[in-house]
Amino acid sequence: MTVPFLIFLSSGLFLGWTLGANDAANVFGTAVGSRMVQFRTAAVLCGLFVLVGAVVSGGGASHGLGQLGAVNALGGSFTVALAAAITVYGMTVAGLPVSTTQAVVGAIVGWNLFSATATDLAALTKIAGTWVASPILGALFALILYHAIRLAVRVFKPHVLQLDQMLRAGFIVAGAAGAYSLGANNIANVVGVFVPSSPLQTVSFGPLILSPEQRLFLMGGVAIAIGAMFSRPVMMTVGRSLMPLNPVGGLVVVMAQALVLFIFSSRALQGLLIQIGLPPLPLVPVSSSQAVVGAVVGVSLAHGFRGLRQVQWSVLRNIAVGWVLTPTIAALISYVALYIVQNVFEQEVFRVVGA
Amino acid sequence: MTELKSSSPLRKTRVLLVQVEGFLDVVSQAALAYEAGMVEYLRNGWTDSVEEKSAQIREYENRGDRLRSEIGTRLYTEMLLPDTVGDVLSLLGALDHLLDILKTNIVMLRIEQPLFPKDYHPALFEMLRATCETVEQTVLASRSYFRDPVTARDQQHKIHFYEDEAERAGLRVQEAIFSSDLPLEEKRQLREHVLRIDRLADLADDAGDALAIFAVKRTL
């Protein structure tokens, strides 16, 4: 591994750090915000499972993102990741809704335009479709899970204290599963654009063999895990804003979000769907925050008309606006940044295929 | 091995459940002892039997204090949902207050030993029955809250009903006292004891109201 490679990779690692600092809250925010799980425990668990998820199952979503555009020069990968990071940072500062996933996709499209590479519209449509599908699926999973848990509680009537004990264990298990899914799905956002241009080789540590792709995922996973250590303020905010749901609702939201990220990352599930003759789900990175918002709406819907009135429709409208705004801004920044990196810093940002 | 067993979260929760049930039993038994003691006092004055009931109530109050303190410590150390801890401790606090009032009432009765004319006894018996039933229903609703919050909410109307009955009977006794020829200081002393009984029903009703809110928060 060379120093220039690490310098180029720094933008992706920075993106990973911001993703960890923000999205770890979607996984453990409710548990930490409600003081059921200590922040230190949550951060360590989150970091560990993000890492495992990224290395073990990160390939699926990363491959899906690669179909949109294979950024084939390190300078290009660096610039695309940087453009996505600038978009996320800028839109966060401006108070606009933003998703790392959508920023990365926009930045890749910007690279496609700059390098005159044709954007695979089928892949783009598939990815954009998952943006709409993920909050809807989040709501659906949450609705089903909430009804199932409510039924179980009504039938078995656990003591309030036993139920809380189970909820606490549930928060830890669901949080760990959510962190695994986050790593598996969102690692593509962090280092996915470096996969085609990476100079890394396969390494082995005894029986453990890491492919070049997995080495990248490991580094990205570490960046997300370190970011998770800095997620306390966001966790407290997310936790407190979700708690009015009630503890079961909070748990359901975490479970639903974990499921959404899992189904868009799991090659095994995709294979199973094909095997039983069902249309396979695309393996692409999706926004965990939007899955959470969908799940919150699902829990509200479980309370019928009363719950429906509590839904903040402006949040959903902002998400829809973000679907268009984020990739557009990221594509523009990416295009301009690629121009600067190529012409001012004289770095290769793309290789002409076949030349 | 023993250490491992006692530190298991499931075992800790089971111990906590037993303590909570034990606390509710104590409140219920104290109310029953109070009613029995008061009825005996009204019929036969401060006899050995009433003394025995008074000692029982003091013992129940001490046991309730110990249990509440242990439950509070366990609830916090087990890191259950803070919201649940707060609600459970508020509920136990309200019920513990009932134990305090039961003890105070019987102690004041022992000190002052007021003489209630026999004419007031039927209304007083009725008031005592309704008051202790209010406490009983509050304890029942509390048990339901821990297992089935929906049922706890549904039991509210019974608590209100018995509290209302106790208040009506109490008013009848007070009206009778103040329309009698008893000296004013005696009237005021008797009224004071009637109000003490009425306060018990009021506090049980307040605990029931708080319980209804806690139950709504737990309803899925």
Side-chain angles (χ1 to χ4, degrees):
Chain A
M1 199 187 316
T2 59
V3 174
F5 173 67
L6 276 178
I7 293 171
F8 279 125
L9 191 62
S10 62
S11 60
L13 299 181
F14 174 64
L15 198 58
W17 182 85
T18 56
L19 193 134
N22 281 299
D23 288 12
N26 293 333
V27 176
F28 274 107
T30 319
V32 173
S34 64
R35 287 178 288 156
M36 273 199 116
V37 179
Q38 287 180 337
F39 172 74
R40 196 182 299 170
T41 312
V44 169
L45 275 174
C46 187
L48 185 70
F49 280 92
V50 158
L51 209 59
V52 175
V55 176
V56 175
S57 305
S62 181
H63 179 73
L65 195 64
Q67 288 176 338
L68 184 65
V71 184
N72 57 11
L74 261 180
S77 305
F78 166 82
T79 315
V80 165
L82 187 66
I86 291 170
T87 307
V88 171
Y89 178 75
M91 287 182 73
T92 306
V93 169
L96 295 167
V98 65
S99 144
T100 311
T101 305
Q102 286 140 27
V104 169
V105 166
I108 292 174
V109 171
W111 180 87
N112 284 349
L113 293 171
F114 188 80
S115 62
T117 307
T119 300
D120 184 343
L121 282 178
L124 185 62
T125 312
K126 200 165 64 178
I127 290 172
T130 63
W131 296 347
V132 181
S134 65
I136 293 172
L137 282 172
L140 192 67
F141 287 151
L143 196 61
I144 295 167
L145 285 168
Y146 195 84
H147 276 297
I149 293 178
R150 182 158 61 185
L151 184 68
V153 168
R154 281 181 185 168
V155 171
F156 295 108
K157 296 191 191 315
H159 194 281
V160 160
L161 303 178
Q162 283 173 323
L163 182 64
D164 269 17
Q165 195 79 49
M166 287 188 267
L167 280 173
R168 191 180 167 207
F171 270 118
I172 292 174
V173 173
Y180 180 91
S181 299
L182 182 71
N185 187 273
N186 275 210
I187 194 69
N189 292 332
V190 177
V191 289
V193 290
F194 291 90
V195 170
S197 60
S198 164
L200 297 175
Q201 305 296 317
T202 299
V203 289
S204 59
F205 303 97
L208 182 71
I209 298 166
L210 290 180
S211 67
E213 200 182 56
Q214 283 177 318
R215 284 180 69 188
L216 260 180
F217 294 162
L218 180 66
M219 286 189 277
V222 169
I224 300 177
I226 293 172
M229 306 293 163
F230 292 85
S231 61
R232 186 197 282 264
V234 190
M235 274 197 191
M236 299 310 282
T237 311
V238 169
R240 284 173 188 157
S241 63
L242 289 181
M243 274 319 281
L245 284 173
N246 77 32
V248 172
L251 177 65
V252 162
V253 166
V254 179
M255 289 164 79
Q257 178 247 0
L259 273 173
V260 171
L261 262 63
F262 177 76
I263 63 165
F264 287 114
S265 335
S266 172
R267 280 177 164 154
L269 180 69
Q270 193 184 46
L272 185 73
L273 288 174
I274 294 169
Q275 211 175 356
I276 57 177
L278 288 171
L281 287 162
L283 303 185
V284 287
V286 291
S287 164
S288 63
S289 306
Q290 293 179 6
V292 163
V293 172
V296 171
V297 172
V299 172
S300 304
L301 288 175
H303 290 105
F305 183 68
R306 181 169 59 91
L308 207 62
R309 278 187 311 178
Q310 290 173 342
V311 174
Q312 291 185 3
W313 297 104
S314 59
V315 177
L316 298 183
R317 188 195 59 216
N318 287 346
I319 286 180
V321 170
W323 289 336
V324 180
L325 203 62
T326 311
T328 309
I329 292 175
L332 279 172
I333 292 175
S334 175
Y335 192 94
V336 174
L338 285 163
Y339 180 84
I340 294 170
V341 170
Q342 181 182 260
N343 298 298
V344 177
F345 296 101
E346 296 182 339
Q347 293 295 318
E348 184 187 39
V349 293
F350 67 92
R351 286 189 190 131
V352 181
V353 178
Chain B
M1 190 65 189
T2 315
E3 188 59 35
L4 270 179
K5 266 188 173 177
S6 63
S7 63
S8 141
L10 288 177
R11 186 179 156 76
K12 275 186 188 173
T13 308
R14 272 202 302 275
V15 171
L16 199 50
L17 298 194
V18 171
Q19 285 182 321
V20 169
E21 285 299 317
F23 180 82
L24 294 175
D25 288 346
V26 163
V27 178
S28 176
Q29 285 162 352
L32 291 171
Y34 178 73
E35 187 188 357
M38 284 295 291
V39 168
E40 172 67 14
Y41 172 78
L42 288 171
R43 282 182 179 146
N44 304 311
W46 193 268
T47 60
D48 287 348
S49 169
V50 183
E51 179 59 41
E52 191 187 321
K53 293 292 170 208
S54 165
Q56 271 181 7
I57 291 167
R58 289 199 302 273
E59 170 54 26
Y60 285 136
E61 198 270 338
N62 287 337
R63 206 189 302 171
D65 279 345
R66 274 199 312 273
L67 276 169
R68 188 190 159 206
S69 162
E70 285 171 19
I71 292 166
T73 310
R74 275 185 190 274
L75 279 172
Y76 275 110
T77 51
E78 286 205 31
M79 264 193 79
L80 293 166
L81 273 178
D83 208 28
T84 309
V85 173
D87 289 353
V88 171
L89 285 182
S90 293
L91 175 63
L92 298 189
L95 294 176
D96 191 39
H97 197 186
L98 294 181
L99 284 174
D100 291 341
I101 299 293
L102 284 167
K103 181 182 148 187
T104 308
N105 284 6
I106 204 79
V107 167
M108 294 312 291
L109 191 77
R110 186 187 182 200
I111 294 167
E112 296 184 13
Q113 300 197 9
L115 289 171
F116 282 96
K118 283 209 178 323
D119 295 351
Y120 310 156
H121 286 189
L124 273 169
F125 290 149
E126 194 184 321
M127 185 188 188
L128 279 166
R129 181 85 288 274
T131 299
C132 291
E133 196 58 47
T134 313
V135 177
E136 267 297 294
Q137 290 299 329
T138 306
V139 172
L140 269 177
S142 304
R143 288 191 206 278
S144 299
Y145 161 77
F146 286 108
R147 289 275 175 200
D148 186 5
V150 178
T151 314
R153 236 174 22 181
D154 293 346
Q155 281 170 331
Q156 276 309 105
H157 72 278
K158 283 190 184 173
I159 298 174
H160 289 315
F161 173 79
Y162 286 114
E163 192 272 335
D164 196 42
E165 289 290 298
E167 192 181 319
R168 282 168 200 267
L171 280 175
R172 282 210 306 279
V173 177
Q174 287 180 71
E175 279 166 8
I177 289 169
F178 279 90
S179 59
S180 71
D181 297 331
L182 291 168
L184 183 61
E185 64 273 17
E186 210 170 318
K187 285 178 179 174
R188 294 182 69 172
Q189 185 200 28
L190 294 180
R191 182 186 65 180
E192 187 62 31
H193 283 273
V194 171
L195 287 178
R196 283 180 187 282
I197 302 170
D198 189 48
R199 181 161 157 71
L200 194 57
D202 281 346
L203 288 172
D205 189 47
D206 290 348
D209 286 342
L211 186 65
I213 295 166
F214 303 152
V216 169
K217 283 161 73 180
R218 297 295 308 195
T219 306
L220 293 179

Coordinates of all heavy atoms in Angstrom, one line a residue, chain A residues 27-99:
Chain A
V27 N -28.9 3.5 14.3 CA -28.9 2.2 14.8 C -29.0 2.1 16.3 O -29.8 1.4 16.8 CB -27.5 1.5 14.4 CG1 -27.4 0.2 15.0 CG2 -27.4 1.5 12.9
F28 N -28.3 3.0 17.0 CA -28.3 2.9 18.5 C -28.9 4.2 19.1 O -28.9 4.3 20.4 CB -26.9 2.7 19.0 CG -26.5 1.2 19.1 CD1 -25.6 0.7 18.2 CD2 -27.1 0.4 20.0 CE1 -25.3 -0.7 18.2 CE2 -26.7 -1.0 20.0 CZ -25.8 -1.5 19.1
G29 N -29.3 5.1 18.3 CA -29.8 6.4 18.9 C -30.9 6.2 19.9 O -30.9 6.8 21.0
T30 N -31.9 5.4 19.6 CA -33.1 5.2 20.5 C -32.6 4.6 21.8 O -33.0 5.1 22.9 CB -34.1 4.3 19.9 OG1 -34.2 4.6 18.5 CG2 -35.4 4.4 20.5
A31 N -31.7 3.6 21.7 CA -31.3 2.9 23.0 C -30.4 3.9 23.8 O -30.6 3.9 25.0 CB -30.5 1.7 22.6
V32 N -29.5 4.7 23.2 CA -28.7 5.6 23.9 C -29.5 6.8 24.4 O -29.3 7.2 25.6 CB -27.4 6.0 23.1 CG1 -26.6 7.0 23.8 CG2 -26.6 4.8 22.8
G33 N -30.3 7.3 23.5 CA -31.1 8.5 23.9 C -32.0 8.2 25.1 O -32.3 9.1 25.9
S34 N -32.5 7.0 25.2 CA -33.4 6.6 26.3 C -32.6 6.1 27.5 O -33.2 5.6 28.4 CB -34.4 5.5 25.8 OG -33.7 4.4 25.5
R35 N -31.3 6.1 27.4 CA -30.3 5.7 28.4 C -30.5 4.2 28.8 O -30.2 3.8 29.9 CB -30.5 6.5 29.7 CG -29.9 7.9 29.5 CD -30.1 8.8 30.7 NE -31.5 9.2 30.8 CZ -32.1 9.5 32.0 NH1 -31.4 9.5 33.1 NH2 -33.3 9.9 32.0
M36 N -31.0 3.4 27.8 CA -31.1 1.9 28.0 C -29.7 1.3 27.8 O -29.4 0.3 28.4 CB -32.1 1.3 27.1 CG -33.4 1.4 27.6 SD -34.4 0.2 26.7 CE -34.9 -0.9 28.0
V37 N -28.9 1.8 26.9 CA -27.6 1.3 26.6 C -26.6 2.5 26.7 O -26.9 3.6 26.3 CB -27.6 0.8 25.1 CG1 -26.2 0.2 24.8 CG2 -28.6 -0.3 25.0
Q38 N -25.5 2.2 27.4 CA -24.5 3.3 27.5 C -23.9 3.6 26.2 O -23.7 2.7 25.4 CB -23.4 2.9 28.5 CG -23.9 2.8 29.9 CD -22.9 2.4 30.9 OE1 -21.9 1.7 30.6 NE2 -23.1 2.8 32.2
F39 N -23.5 4.9 26.0 CA -23.0 5.3 24.7 C -21.7 4.5 24.4 O -21.6 4.1 23.2 CB -22.6 6.8 24.7 CG -21.9 7.2 23.5 CD1 -22.5 7.3 22.3 CD2 -20.5 7.4 23.5 CE1 -21.8 7.7 21.1 CE2 -19.8 7.7 22.4 CZ -20.5 7.9 21.2
R40 N -20.9 4.3 25.4 CA -19.6 3.5 25.1 C -19.9 2.1 24.6 O -19.3 1.7 23.6 CB -18.8 3.5 26.4 CG -17.3 3.1 26.1 CD -16.5 3.0 27.4 NE -16.5 4.2 28.1 CZ -16.1 4.3 29.4 NH1 -15.6 3.3 30.0 NH2 -16.1 5.5 30.0
T41 N -20.8 1.5 25.2 CA -21.2 0.1 24.7 C -21.8 0.2 23.3 O -21.4 -0.6 22.5 CB -22.3 -0.5 25.7 OG1 -21.9 -0.3 27.0 CG2 -22.6 -1.9 25.4
A42 N -22.6 1.1 23.1 CA -23.2 1.3 21.8 C -22.2 1.6 20.7 O -22.2 1.0 19.6 CB -24.3 2.4 21.8
A43 N -21.2 2.5 21.0 CA -20.2 2.8 20.0 C -19.3 1.7 19.7 O -19.0 1.4 18.5 CB -19.4 4.0 20.5
V44 N -18.9 0.9 20.7 CA -18.1 -0.3 20.5 C -18.8 -1.3 19.7 O -18.3 -1.9 18.7 CB -17.6 -0.8 21.8 CG1 -16.9 -2.2 21.6 CG2 -16.6 0.1 22.5
L45 N -20.0 -1.6 20.1 CA -20.8 -2.6 19.3 C -21.0 -2.2 17.9 O -20.9 -3.0 17.0 CB -22.2 -2.8 20.0 CG -22.3 -3.8 21.2 CD1 -23.7 -3.7 21.8 CD2 -22.0 -5.2 20.7
C46 N -21.4 -0.9 17.7 CA -21.7 -0.4 16.4 C -20.4 -0.5 15.5 O -20.5 -1.0 14.4 CB -22.1 1.0 16.5 SG -22.7 1.7 15.0
G47 N -19.3 0.0 16.1 CA -18.0 -0.1 15.3 C -17.7 -1.5 14.9 O -17.3 -1.8 13.7
L48 N -17.8 -2.4 15.9 CA -17.4 -3.8 15.6 C -18.3 -4.5 14.5 O -17.8 -5.1 13.6 CB -17.6 -4.6 16.9 CG -17.1 -6.1 16.9 CD1 -15.6 -6.1 16.8 CD2 -17.6 -6.8 18.1
F49 N -19.6 -4.3 14.6 CA -20.5 -4.9 13.7 C -20.5 -4.2 12.3 O -20.7 -4.9 11.3 CB -21.9 -5.0 14.2 CG -22.0 -6.2 15.2 CD1 -21.8 -6.0 16.5 CD2 -22.3 -7.5 14.7 CE1 -21.9 -7.1 17.4 CE2 -22.4 -8.6 15.6 CZ -22.2 -8.4 16.9
V50 N -20.3 -2.9 12.3 CA -20.1 -2.2 11.0 C -18.9 -2.8 10.2 O -19.0 -3.1 9.0 CB -19.9 -0.7 11.2 CG1 -19.2 -0.1 10.0 CG2 -21.2 0.0 11.5
L51 N -17.9 -3.0 11.0 CA -16.6 -3.6 10.4 C -16.9 -5.0 9.8 O -16.5 -5.3 8.7 CB -15.6 -3.6 11.5 CG -14.1 -3.5 11.1 CD1 -13.9 -2.2 10.4 CD2 -13.2 -3.6 12.3
V52 N -17.5 -5.8 10.6 CA -17.8 -7.2 10.2 C -18.7 -7.2 9.0 O -18.5 -7.9 8.0 CB -18.4 -8.0 11.3 CG1 -18.9 -9.4 10.8 CG2 -17.5 -8.1 12.5
G53 N -19.8 -6.3 9.0 CA -20.7 -6.2 7.9 C -20.0 -5.8 6.6 O -20.3 -6.3 5.6
A54 N -19.1 -4.8 6.8 CA -18.5 -4.2 5.6 C -17.6 -5.3 4.9 O -17.6 -5.5 3.7 CB -17.6 -3.0 6.0
V55 N -16.8 -6.0 5.8 CA -15.8 -6.9 5.2 C -16.5 -8.2 4.7 O -16.2 -8.7 3.6 CB -14.8 -7.3 6.3 CG1 -13.8 -8.4 5.8 CG2 -14.0 -6.1 6.7
V56 N -17.5 -8.7 5.4 CA -18.2 -9.9 5.1 C -19.2 -9.8 3.9 O -19.2 -10.5 3.0 CB -18.8 -10.6 6.3 CG1 -19.6 -11.9 5.9 CG2 -17.8 -10.9 7.3
S57 N -20.0 -8.7 4.0 CA -21.1 -8.6 3.0 C -21.1 -7.3 2.3 O -22.1 -6.9 1.7 CB -22.4 -8.7 3.8 OG -22.5 -9.9 4.5
G58 N -20.0 -6.6 2.3 CA -20.0 -5.3 1.6 C -19.9 -5.4 0.1 O -20.2 -4.4 -0.6
G59 N -19.6 -6.5 -0.5 CA -19.4 -6.7 -1.9 C -20.6 -6.4 -2.8 O -20.6 -5.9 -3.8
G60 N -21.8 -6.8 -2.2 CA -23.0 -6.8 -3.0 C -23.4 -5.4 -3.4 O -23.5 -5.1 -4.6
A61 N -23.6 -4.5 -2.5 CA -24.0 -3.1 -2.8 C -22.9 -2.4 -3.5 O -23.2 -1.5 -4.4 CB -24.3 -2.4 -1.5
S62 N -21.6 -2.7 -3.2 CA -20.5 -2.0 -3.9 C -20.5 -2.4 -5.4 O -20.3 -1.5 -6.3 CB -19.2 -2.5 -3.3 OG -18.1 -1.9 -3.9
H63 N -20.8 -3.7 -5.7 CA -20.9 -4.1 -7.1 C -22.1 -3.4 -7.8 O -21.9 -2.9 -8.9 CB -21.1 -5.6 -7.1 CG -21.3 -6.2 -8.5 ND1 -20.2 -6.3 -9.4 CD2 -22.3 -6.6 -9.2 CE1 -20.6 -6.7 -10.5 NE2 -21.9 -6.9 -10.5
G64 N -23.2 -3.2 -7.1 CA -24.4 -2.5 -7.6 C -24.0 -1.1 -8.0 O -24.4 -0.6 -9.0
L65 N -23.3 -0.4 -7.1 CA -22.9 1.0 -7.3 C -21.9 1.1 -8.5 O -21.9 2.0 -9.3 CB -22.2 1.6 -6.1 CG -22.1 3.1 -6.0 CD1 -23.4 3.8 -6.0 CD2 -21.3 3.5 -4.8
G66 N -21.0 0.0 -8.6 CA -20.1 0.0 -9.7 C -20.7 -0.1 -11.1 O -20.1 0.4 -12.1
Q67 N -21.9 -0.6 -11.2 CA -22.7 -0.7 -12.4 C -23.0 0.7 -13.0 O -23.2 0.9 -14.2 CB -23.9 -1.5 -12.3 CG -23.7 -3.0 -12.1 CD -24.9 -3.8 -11.8 OE1 -26.0 -3.2 -11.4 NE2 -24.9 -5.1 -12.1
L68 N -23.1 1.6 -12.1 CA -23.5 3.0 -12.5 C -22.3 3.7 -13.2 O -22.5 4.5 -14.1 CB -23.9 3.8 -11.2 CG -24.4 5.2 -11.5 CD1 -25.7 5.2 -12.3 CD2 -24.6 5.9 -10.1
G69 N -21.1 3.4 -12.7 CA -19.9 4.0 -13.3 C -18.7 3.5 -12.6 O -18.6 3.7 -11.4
A70 N -17.8 2.9 -13.3 CA -16.6 2.4 -12.7 C -15.5 3.4 -12.8 O -14.9 3.6 -13.8 CB -16.1 1.1 -13.4
V71 N -15.3 4.2 -11.7 CA -14.3 5.3 -11.7 C -12.9 4.6 -11.7 O -12.5 4.0 -10.8 CB -14.5 6.1 -10.4 CG1 -13.5 7.3 -10.4 CG2 -15.9 6.6 -10.3
N72 N -12.2 4.7 -12.9 CA -11.1 3.9 -13.1 C -9.7 4.5 -12.9 O -8.7 4.0 -13.3 CB -11.2 3.3 -14.6 CG -11.2 4.5 -15.6 OD1 -11.0 5.6 -15.3 ND2 -11.6 4.1 -16.8
A73 N -9.7 5.7 -12.3 CA -8.4 6.3 -11.9 C -8.5 6.8 -10.5 O -9.5 7.4 -10.1 CB -8.1 7.5 -12.9
L74 N -7.3 6.7 -9.8 CA -7.4 7.0 -8.3 C -7.7 8.5 -8.1 O -8.5 8.8 -7.2 CB -6.0 6.7 -7.7 CG -5.8 5.4 -7.0 CD1 -4.4 5.3 -6.4 CD2 -6.9 5.3 -5.9
G75 N -7.2 9.4 -9.0 CA -7.5 10.8 -8.8 C -9.0 11.0 -9.0 O -9.6 11.9 -8.3
G76 N -9.6 10.3 -9.9 CA -11.1 10.4 -10.1 C -11.8 9.9 -8.9 O -12.8 10.6 -8.4
S77 N -11.4 8.8 -8.3 CA -12.1 8.2 -7.1 C -12.0 9.2 -6.0 O -13.0 9.4 -5.3 CB -11.4 6.9 -6.7 OG -11.4 6.0 -7.8
F78 N -10.8 9.7 -5.8 CA -10.6 10.7 -4.7 C -11.6 11.9 -4.9 O -12.2 12.3 -3.9 CB -9.1 11.2 -4.7 CG -8.9 12.4 -3.9 CD1 -8.7 12.3 -2.5 CD2 -8.9 13.7 -4.5 CE1 -8.5 13.5 -1.8 CE2 -8.7 14.9 -3.7 CZ -8.5 14.7 -2.3
T79 N -11.6 12.4 -6.1 CA -12.4 13.6 -6.4 C -13.9 13.3 -6.2 O -14.7 14.1 -5.7 CB -12.1 14.2 -7.8 OG1 -10.7 14.1 -8.0 CG2 -12.7 15.5 -8.0
V80 N -14.3 12.1 -6.7 CA -15.8 11.8 -6.6 C -16.2 11.7 -5.1 O -17.2 12.2 -4.7 CB -16.0 10.4 -7.3 CG1 -17.4 9.8 -6.9 CG2 -16.0 10.6 -8.8
A81 N -15.3 11.0 -4.3 CA -15.6 10.9 -2.9 C -15.6 12.2 -2.2 O -16.4 12.5 -1.3 CB -14.6 9.9 -2.2
L82 N -14.6 13.1 -2.6 CA -14.5 14.4 -2.0 C -15.8 15.2 -2.4 O -16.3 15.9 -1.5 CB -13.3 15.1 -2.5 CG -12.9 16.5 -1.9 CD1 -12.6 16.3 -0.4 CD2 -11.8 17.2 -2.6
A83 N -16.2 15.2 -3.6 CA -17.4 15.9 -4.1 C -18.6 15.5 -3.2 O -19.4 16.3 -2.8 CB -17.7 15.7 -5.5
A84 N -18.7 14.2 -3.0 CA -19.9 13.6 -2.2 C -19.8 14.2 -0.8 O -20.8 14.6 -0.2 CB -19.9 12.1 -2.2
A85 N -18.5 14.2 -0.2 CA -18.3 14.7 1.2 C -18.7 16.2 1.3 O -19.3 16.6 2.2 CB -16.9 14.4 1.6
I86 N -18.2 16.9 0.3 CA -18.5 18.4 0.3 C -20.0 18.6 0.2 O -20.6 19.5 0.9 CB -17.8 19.1 -0.9 CG1 -16.3 19.1 -0.7 CG2 -18.3 20.5 -1.1 CD1 -15.4 19.5 -1.9
T87 N -20.7 17.8 -0.7 CA -22.1 18.0 -0.8 C -22.8 17.7 0.5 O -23.7 18.5 1.0 CB -22.7 17.0 -1.9 OG1 -21.9 17.1 -3.0 CG2 -24.1 17.2 -2.1
V88 N -22.4 16.6 1.2 CA -23.1 16.2 2.5 C -22.8 17.3 3.5 O -23.7 17.8 4.2 CB -22.5 14.8 3.0 CG1 -23.0 14.6 4.4 CG2 -22.9 13.7 2.0
Y89 N -21.5 17.8 3.6 CA -21.2 18.8 4.5 C -22.0 20.1 4.3 O -22.6 20.6 5.2 CB -19.7 19.0 4.5 CG -19.2 20.1 5.5 CD1 -19.2 19.8 6.9 CD2 -18.9 21.4 5.0 CE1 -18.8 20.8 7.8 CE2 -18.5 22.4 5.9 CZ -18.5 22.1 7.3 OH -18.1 23.1 8.2
G90 N -21.9 20.5 3.0 CA -22.5 21.8 2.6 C -24.0 21.8 2.9 O -24.6 22.7 3.4
M91 N -24.7 20.7 2.5 CA -26.1 20.6 2.6 C -26.5 20.5 4.1 O -27.6 21.0 4.5 CB -26.7 19.5 1.8 CG -26.7 19.8 0.3 SD -27.4 18.5 -0.7 CE -29.2 18.7 -0.3
T92 N -25.7 19.8 4.9 CA -25.9 19.7 6.3 C -25.9 21.1 7.0 O -26.7 21.5 7.8 CB -25.0 18.8 7.0 OG1 -25.0 17.5 6.3 CG2 -25.3 18.5 8.5
V93 N -24.8 21.9 6.6 CA -24.6 23.2 7.2 C -25.8 24.1 6.7 O -26.3 24.9 7.5 CB -23.3 23.8 6.7 CG1 -23.2 25.3 7.0 CG2 -22.1 23.0 7.3
A94 N -26.3 23.9 5.5 CA -27.4 24.7 5.0 C -28.7 24.3 5.5 O -29.8 24.9 5.2 CB -27.4 24.7 3.5
G95 N -28.7 23.2 6.3 CA -29.9 22.7 6.9 C -30.8 22.0 5.9 O -32.0 21.8 6.1
L96 N -30.3 21.5 4.8 CA -31.1 20.8 3.8 C -31.0 19.3 4.0 O -30.0 18.8 4.5 CB -30.5 21.1 2.3 CG -30.7 22.6 1.9 CD1 -29.9 22.8 0.7 CD2 -32.2 22.9 1.6
P97 N -32.0 18.5 3.7 CA -32.0 17.1 3.9 C -31.0 16.5 2.9 O -30.9 16.8 1.8 CB -33.4 16.6 3.5 CG -34.0 17.7 2.7 CD -33.3 19.0 3.1
V98 N -30.1 15.6 3.4 CA -29.1 15.0 2.6 C -28.9 13.6 3.0 O -29.0 13.2 4.1 CB -27.8 15.9 2.7 CG1 -27.2 15.8 4.1 CG2 -26.8 15.4 1.7
S99 N -28.5 12.8 1.9 CA -28.1 11.4 2.2 C -26.8 11.1 1.5 O -26.6 11.5 0.3 CB -29.2 10.5 1.6 OG -28.7 9.3 1.0

